[in-house]
Amino acid sequence: MSKPVEINKMIIQRIRDSEVDDDVRDFMIEVLQFEISNPKELSPRYKDEYLKMLQKHIRPEKSSQKP
Amino acid sequence: MKIFSITLQNYRQYKSVKIEPSTDEKRNFTVIQGPNGAGKTNLMNALTWCLYGIEPHLSSDSTGFLRANMAAFSDLKIDDDLDVRVQISLGETKPEYIIDRKENYVKRGAKPENAIINQARTILFLDRYDWKTHAYPTSLLNRILPEDVSAFFFFDGERLDEFFKAESREKVRDALLDVSQVTLLDNALGRLDGLKDDIRRSAKGLSSQADVILEKLEACKKELGGSQTKLRGLETDKTETIRLISGIDEKLKNSPRENIQTLQNERQTLTQDVKGLQDETSEAMEDLNSAIVRFGPIIFAKPAVDLAINEVEKRYKTGELPPKIQEQYLNDLLKQGKCICGTDIASHGTPRENVERQLHASSFSEIEDQIREGKFELGEIHKRTGDFPKIADEIGVNIVKNSETLKRKGDRLKEISEILSKYDEEEIQRLESDRLRLQSQKEKLLEEIGLARGEVEGKKKEFASLENLHKNELRKSAKHAAVQSQVDLCQKAIASMDGIKTNIVDEIRKIIEAKTKQYFLSLIWKKGTFVDVKIDESYTLSVVHKGGWNALGTLSAGERQMLALSFMAALKEVSGFHFPVVIDTPLGRISREPKDNVAESLPKYLEGTQVTMLMTDEEYTESVRKRMSPRIGKELKLEYEESKDQTLVMKYAS
């Protein structure tokens, strides 16, 4: 196929290699995989999908963090 | 991805034509030769119209005409209809997709403009043995042949010459961003930002203070968006103004008056120099600023560092350093003749030798090492403060030198403008006065862009500070903190993705720089005249002359075309898309000998890519044909029949 899989792969690899917390890294990878596999026509549904992904990756201790 | 066939029906001068380019891996070139006006450019238009509904290669005097073949349209009776249709069959090893665009004309009167037009595009895909209509044609096309990079695959060789003429920086940047396909990251970034706003809004009503800040935050974001739109608008206006100035310069350069041409040439060189000097000066100012930031804390600490060095050296001289405590203690043991463990060490022998060895080793004690390191570090800091005046002086000297040259060249530019504006010829005077007006418009725009940039930066800072305030407010209670945790995760992901995007674009810039250089230096016939091609961080492309200066502004039309071909070949290679390439008049601006060189070298850079070249007989000479022959899989010829207003596609015969 003609799609630029190399660049998509490069982006995902960069995220894997990035020095960020695991929850941020996993969240980013899931978001990008969603973007790669979903056509733009499905975009109205993105908000629910993004929120689900976000809530999945929030660390429980962070949610209950106190000031 | 290859084109297996292009079928045109009633499209402009093509009544009914099917073209099947070569799909051979080795003989990957198809040449379609035709005289001017035979329909080469309209073949390109048919391709882009079918795929994207656009005809970017249409000449300005043809834009008002119907796409329908005029002879076929004239033959219609009132209320009869006619289909204009282009079909492209695409695939890797066999046809996998058929892109079909159809426009239906219903004749309502003698005048074509009264026709009723309905347009539709469908994409069929091969599902095992059946052709089916694709549900998401735009998405599919964006995956296989995206419109934003299509300009690097379907292009007009003659217009390529304009690519590096004026304000190429914006064009290079846009090309790099398009080819990097960071739209994936851009989509995700935009959506994450929207999600972050939604989450913040969901916390509304939980704290009055947080609500007040949120209101300010949203207002600030709106203002920031407005400032960014304004800045983009100004940048577009600037590019357009520069393009217009460049057009006038070209007309003045071609003026019959010899002295006008000379002055015009001088002005172009001076303008190029001034731009280079302005860029260098702003870079030097940035260097100076970063040197101040880098050296500031060290310079501030200099008196303390100097005092510390003096104190350490004084103590070394007096023997207080390095510390002798351990040495003194061991000396006392040797003097007493009794070790700490009770062993007799008064007489010579192994126990005494052991203690003596310890004494020797103690001079390299850990404490002493630390002191040595500390002393060394202090010395280094001291040395570094000494670098600053030298660096600042060097940068300062360059800035002053540049300012002087800029003033001199600026004065000469004004002088030339004055001389040119005094010429009698009406046309020259008009052009000159237009140029002066555009020049002052450009200066004004540059000033406004500076202010708009400042405004955007200010708004960004204000926004960041409000985000922080809102965050602190939400952190005050556990319920709000949960919301803030979600916002934090979004923010961290946004920051990280943004950084990755910058890195990827930068990496791709470097690869394209290296490939453009490699191709250009091998295509160019003046071997040794140019030594380098650079694309710097601000996307400024320069061709380095062996004398060390940027020769981009002085390249001939043919050289510019070769540079653009090299850049396109590099973009094509880096993009990761295996597109078919179609080039209209690829050798149009290139003279005989270099033409042969390009005909021989270009196929090497486009190996394995299906290439269709639309050439005039002046381009497709016997010599070019001979050089390209090992790579040519098909040769076709266009013949225009004026009486029938139609072009036929025939087998090429030399």
Side-chain angles (χ1 to χ4, degrees), chain B residues 565-601:
Chain B
L565 276 173
S566 310
F567 185 63
M568 294 291 165
L571 286 171
K572 192 214 133 292
E573 195 175 330
V574 171
S575 73
F577 285 100
H578 306 297
F579 272 17
V581 169
V582 183
I583 318 175
D584 187 13
T585 46
L587 310 174
R589 302 252 171 166
I590 303 167
S591 51
R592 217 187 70 184
E593 201 186 320
K595 202 180 277 184
D596 291 348
N597 188 28
V598 176
E600 200 163 313
S601 307

Side-chain angles (χ1 to χ4, degrees), chain B residues 86-115:
Chain B
V86 179
Q87 278 185 325
I88 302 171
S89 148
L90 290 164
E92 292 289 347
T93 53
K94 59 174 186 179
E96 292 169 62
Y97 305 102
I98 295 174
I99 292 105
D100 184 359
R101 192 179 287 269
K102 201 164 72 174
E103 206 167 54
N104 181 260
Y105 287 77
V106 181
K107 192 168 179 174
R108 289 286 188 229
K111 289 182 180 173
E113 51 265 36
N114 293 331

Side-chain angles (χ1 to χ4, degrees), chain B residues 77-346:
Chain B
K77 291 178 189 155
I78 302 293
D79 291 338
D80 276 358
D81 70 334
L82 171 85
D83 278 345
V84 173
R85 193 169 192 176
V86 179
Q87 278 185 325
I88 302 171
S89 148
L90 290 164
E92 292 289 347
T93 53
K94 59 174 186 179
E96 292 169 62
Y97 305 102
I98 295 174
I99 292 105
D100 184 359
R101 192 179 287 269
K102 201 164 72 174
E103 206 167 54
N104 181 260
Y105 287 77
V106 181
K107 192 168 179 174
R108 289 286 188 229
K111 289 182 180 173
E113 51 265 36
N114 293 331
I116 293 174
I117 306 167
N118 298 303
Q119 209 188 88
R121 182 193 61 184
T122 47
I123 297 185
L124 301 173
F125 68 103
L126 191 61
D127 186 14
R128 286 178 169 236
Y129 307 108
D130 300 324
W131 286 99
K132 289 186 179 167
T133 307
H134 202 280
Y136 302 117
T138 310
S139 286
L140 175 75
L141 208 54
N142 268 333
R143 284 214 314 274
I144 60 171
L145 287 170
E147 186 183 341
D148 52 6
V149 293
S150 64
F152 311 120
F153 298 86
F154 308 139
F155 54 88
D156 179 346
E158 278 194 321
R159 289 195 190 170
L160 270 190
D161 156 43
E162 289 166 18
F163 195 86
F164 293 114
K165 242 187 214 169
E167 230 17 43
S168 60
R169 189 153 71 173
E170 269 86 358
K171 291 179 192 164
V172 171
R173 187 196 55 203
D174 292 347
L176 280 168
L177 288 176
D178 286 343
V179 115
S180 304
Q181 283 289 294
V182 282
T183 39
L184 178 78
L185 285 169
D186 279 335
N187 282 346
L189 281 166
R191 288 172 169 189
L192 281 172
D193 197 46
L195 180 68
K196 190 178 73 177
D197 289 349
D198 285 352
I199 296 168
R200 274 204 187 110
R201 268 180 227 125
S202 72
K204 241 180 187 174
L206 295 173
S207 139
S208 58
Q209 186 58 25
D211 285 357
V212 171
I213 302 168
L214 184 62
E215 214 166 282
K216 283 184 188 170
L217 197 63
E218 290 191 334
C220 183
K221 188 169 189 178
K222 216 172 163 184
E223 285 165 12
L224 175 62
S227 306
Q228 283 168 327
T229 310
K230 185 177 149 194
L231 179 60
R232 275 195 296 273
L234 289 168
E235 297 271 13
T236 312
D237 289 351
K238 184 191 85 178
T239 312
E240 179 58 12
T241 309
I242 290 171
R243 196 185 64 77
L244 291 172
I245 293 174
S246 171
I248 293 178
D249 283 350
E250 200 65 16
K251 282 184 189 159
L252 287 170
K253 200 175 158 187
N254 296 328
S255 149
R257 295 289 296 265
E258 200 183 313
N259 48 350
I260 293 178
Q261 287 176 35
T262 316
L263 285 169
Q264 194 53 36
N265 283 337
E266 187 187 345
R267 176 155 72 183
Q268 270 191 320
T269 315
L270 282 169
T271 310
Q272 192 79 24
D273 290 352
V274 164
K275 192 173 173 297
L277 284 164
Q278 280 168 339
D279 287 349
E280 275 177 33
T281 308
S282 48
E283 270 172 34
M285 290 299 289
E286 273 173 30
D287 287 349
L288 189 61
N289 282 340
S290 62
I292 290 169
V293 170
R294 193 151 39 100
F295 286 103
I298 305 173
I299 290 170
F300 192 69
K302 192 173 182 289
V305 171
D306 286 348
L307 182 70
I309 290 174
N310 285 339
E311 284 299 312
V312 169
E313 269 168 10
K314 209 158 71 187
R315 281 170 170 69
Y316 260 96
K317 274 182 196 158
T318 56
E320 285 173 73
L321 283 175
K324 305 287 184 198
I325 303 159
Q326 198 176 2
E327 192 182 338
Q328 191 58 51
Y329 178 66
L330 291 170
N331 271 327
D332 286 349
L333 290 178
L334 289 168
K335 213 180 276 175
Q336 287 161 16
K338 201 165 198 173
C339 183
I340 191 165
C341 59
T343 312
D344 181 16
I345 50 170

Side-chain angles (χ1 to χ4, degrees), chain B residues 486-640:
Chain B
Q486 294 187 347
V487 173
D488 280 349
L489 186 51
C490 279
Q491 259 174 340
K492 282 179 190 169
I494 289 172
S496 182
M497 274 191 199
D498 220 21
I500 287 166
K501 181 181 149 184
T502 311
N503 284 342
I504 285 178
V505 174
D506 201 45
E507 195 170 310
I508 287 172
R509 173 181 66 81
K510 285 178 188 158
I511 301 170
I512 288 177
E513 177 188 64
K515 292 211 173 288
T516 308
K517 176 185 169 182
Q518 181 201 336
Y519 299 161
F520 179 68
L521 294 185
S522 70
L523 281 179
I524 204 87
W525 61 98
K526 289 179 188 167
K527 304 284 176 204
T529 306
F530 307 110
V531 291
D532 205 356
V533 176
K534 286 180 177 167
I535 303 173
D536 70 14
E537 283 168 10
S538 62
Y539 305 102
T540 303
L541 187 139
S542 51
V543 174
V544 184
H545 187 269
K546 64 180 174 191
W549 44 275
N550 180 9
L552 182 65
T554 61
L555 293 184
S556 69
E559 286 165 342
R560 269 202 304 265
Q561 189 174 355
M562 269 184 243
L563 179 64
L565 276 173
S566 310
F567 185 63
M568 294 291 165
L571 286 171
K572 192 214 133 292
E573 195 175 330
V574 171
S575 73
F577 285 100
H578 306 297
F579 272 17
V581 169
V582 183
I583 318 175
D584 187 13
T585 46
L587 310 174
R589 302 252 171 166
I590 303 167
S591 51
R592 217 187 70 184
E593 201 186 320
K595 202 180 277 184
D596 291 348
N597 188 28
V598 176
E600 200 163 313
S601 307
L602 198 62
K604 290 180 200 159
Y605 312 135
L606 295 165
E607 236 170 79
T609 301
Q610 184 195 43
V611 184
T612 304
M613 284 184 160
L614 304 159
M615 296 204 259
T616 60
D617 48 356
E618 283 167 9
E619 287 176 280
Y620 200 46
T621 60
E622 266 314 302
S623 169
V624 166
R625 190 177 181 222
K626 200 175 144 196
R627 277 158 216 274
M628 289 182 70
S629 67
R631 309 298 294 274
I632 292 176
K634 205 168 251 183
E635 285 175 301
L636 300 166
K637 192 172 182 167
L638 300 180
E639 265 187 25
Y640 179 62

Side-chain angles (χ1 to χ4, degrees), chain B residues 376-408:
Chain B
F376 176 76
E377 274 302 318
L378 285 169
E380 284 299 299
I381 294 170
H382 183 78
K383 258 195 248 164
R384 261 182 271 157
T385 56
D387 290 343
F388 180 68
K390 200 180 150 210
I391 292 170
D393 273 358
E394 272 172 20
I395 299 173
V397 166
N398 281 339
I399 291 174
V400 171
K401 222 164 83 184
N402 278 357
S403 311
E404 285 164 1
T405 323
L406 264 173
K407 193 186 174 310
R408 211 177 55 239

